[in-house]
Amino acid sequence: SGELLWRFSAIPKSIESKVTWHPEDHMYLWIVSNNQETIVAAISEEGTVLRSQSFNKAEYPYSITTDPETQTFVAQSNDVIRIYKI
């Protein structure tokens, strides 16, 4: 029985939503997508959106993966793989 500190709503018609905790940066990485776009957002413990980026699903059709140990996430298109530092 905890207290709700903050909340966000997913984009309309979401087909994927996942959250990973990154303890070194004291933030959550939220990845949410629908058939048109994927949004990656870094959110502080207090619920402030620190950074966010949108990826067009037509250009980046694959699921975005994260690695809390290296503080990165990977976005893959049909012809390139990009690794982003969180």
Side-chain angles (χ1 to χ4, degrees):
S1 65
E3 178 183 338
L4 178 66
L5 298 178
W6 50 268
R7 80 174 188 192
F8 288 94
S9 295
I11 55 180
K13 299 184 180 179
S14 296
I15 57 174
E16 178 182 26
S17 180
K18 57 186 170 184
V19 176
T20 54
W21 170 245
H22 294 260
E24 290 79 20
D25 293 326
H26 302 283
M27 68 176 192
Y28 298 94
L29 190 69
W30 185 28
I31 301 171
V32 61
S33 65
N34 61 19
N35 289 331
Q36 297 178 350
E37 70 177 323
T38 298
I39 297 174
V40 179
I43 303 170
S44 74
E45 289 182 271
E46 296 78 28
T48 304
V49 176
L50 305 170
R51 302 179 281 290
S52 67
Q53 184 160 344
S54 177
F55 295 88
N56 184 316
K57 211 50 164 160
E59 187 178 346
Y60 292 91
Y62 305 103
S63 292
I64 292 177
T65 59
T66 65
D67 185 357
E69 290 183 19
T70 61
Q71 301 297 305
T72 58
F73 68 91
V74 178
Q76 179 181 350
S77 70
N78 287 327
D79 52 331
V80 70
I81 296 173
R82 295 178 191 234
I83 300 173
Y84 294 87
K85 184 80 173 150
I86 297 172

